[in-house]
Amino acid sequence: MGLSYSDLYDLTPRSFSNASKGFFELRKEDIRTSWEQTRVIAHVTASPHLKKKIKAQELLPFPWDNETKKKRVKIASPEEIRKVIESYENKKITKIN
């Protein structure tokens, strides 16, 4: 991670955890970018020699290609938000009493 000893010992466990997660996410993104570049080069190199046109993802599929499709965000309706807020308000009242 490139931390000096003084920087390392100044971190709390929580901040160290956040720093290490961020560092490893950055490394993962760098590796994926490198592999994506490799895929593009392989596709450009192979495509003139193929009879059938194929996408780069079909030529060299990666495990993370399907991850983006799985991540669908559901936006909560105002009614759902109200219900959640009310449930927390009810819990606060019961804890105080």
Side-chain angles (χ1 to χ4, degrees):
M1 286 181 13
L3 293 173
S4 67
Y5 283 118
S6 62
D7 290 338
L8 176 66
Y9 289 120
D10 286 341
L11 294 174
T12 62
R14 173 69 184 245
S15 58
F16 176 76
S17 175
N18 291 340
S20 64
K21 284 179 185 177
F23 175 76
F24 288 114
E25 283 295 319
L26 183 62
R27 276 293 285 146
K28 189 166 91 171
E29 282 299 315
D30 289 343
I31 291 169
R32 284 186 178 187
T33 300
S34 175
W35 276 107
E36 291 288 341
Q37 291 171 349
T38 303
R39 175 164 49 191
V40 169
I41 292 169
H43 183 255
V44 168
T45 305
S47 59
H49 305 287
L50 298 173
K51 294 178 183 177
K52 179 184 169 189
K53 290 187 178 183
I54 62 172
K55 296 179 181 179
Q57 289 83 4
E58 295 171 352
L59 180 66
L60 190 57
F62 293 129
W64 59 81
D65 288 339
N66 296 330
E67 286 179 8
T68 56
K69 293 177 185 175
K70 291 179 184 176
K71 293 182 182 177
R72 293 193 180 187
V73 178
K74 180 186 173 200
I75 299 173
S77 69
E79 296 166 0
E80 292 172 334
I81 295 171
R82 246 183 255 114
K83 287 179 184 178
V84 171
I85 291 172
E86 288 173 0
S87 71
Y88 279 107
E89 287 174 349
N90 292 338
K91 287 181 183 179
K92 288 179 184 177
I93 292 170
T94 56
K95 286 184 179 181
I96 293 172
N97 295 330

